[in-house]
Amino acid sequence: MSTSPFVTSQIKVTVVGGGNAAQALAALLPFKGFPTSLYCPFQDEAERIQAGIQEQGYMMAHFAAHNEPGGEVRGMPVKVSQRAADVIPTADVILMPLPSFTYLSVLEGMRDYLRP
């Protein structure tokens, strides 16, 4: 496994969305040492993801063997929420692996909680 050049415990990441890419990041980033929250504003995504974490005890993603890391990766987000107020204000970095047509409504929902 490669070592990150960052002091990862100080960089707080929020991943926006509940699709495949968001779930992969929500497993990978904590695995790599980044405190990671998941903001799932759509329908019941946050509830379903929380139920899966409670059942399994972690989030899991599979990466091709030639990647680093490769194979199964398990990580645990700090928080999963449908509310921007719960996870956006503490984020140092926000990743939005979403379809572009959702950006406007998602950013409008986060607007009051973004830091300069």
Side-chain angles (χ1 to χ4, degrees), residues 92-108:
D92 297 314
V93 174
I94 298 171
L95 302 175
M96 296 180 43
L98 301 167
S100 59
F101 70 85
T102 66
Y103 283 7
L104 181 60
S105 64
V106 170
L107 288 168
E108 285 175 343

Side-chain angles (χ1 to χ4, degrees), residues 4-23:
S4 172
F6 300 105
V7 179
T8 58
S9 64
Q10 294 180 5
I11 300 171
K12 296 176 186 156
V13 179
T14 294
V15 178
V16 180
N20 292 339
Q23 290 188 38

Side-chain angles (χ1 to χ4, degrees), residues 44-84:
D44 65 344
E45 288 176 332
E47 186 179 312
R48 288 184 294 116
I49 290 170
Q50 287 171 334
I53 291 171
Q54 285 180 337
E55 182 180 312
Q56 293 183 335
Y58 52 84
M59 291 191 74
M60 179 175 43
H62 293 274
F63 296 93
H66 66 271
N67 290 322
E68 180 58 40
E72 184 177 287
V73 171
R74 296 178 182 185
M76 175 66 86
V78 174
K79 183 176 266 192
V80 178
S81 182
Q82 188 176 23
R83 295 172 13 97

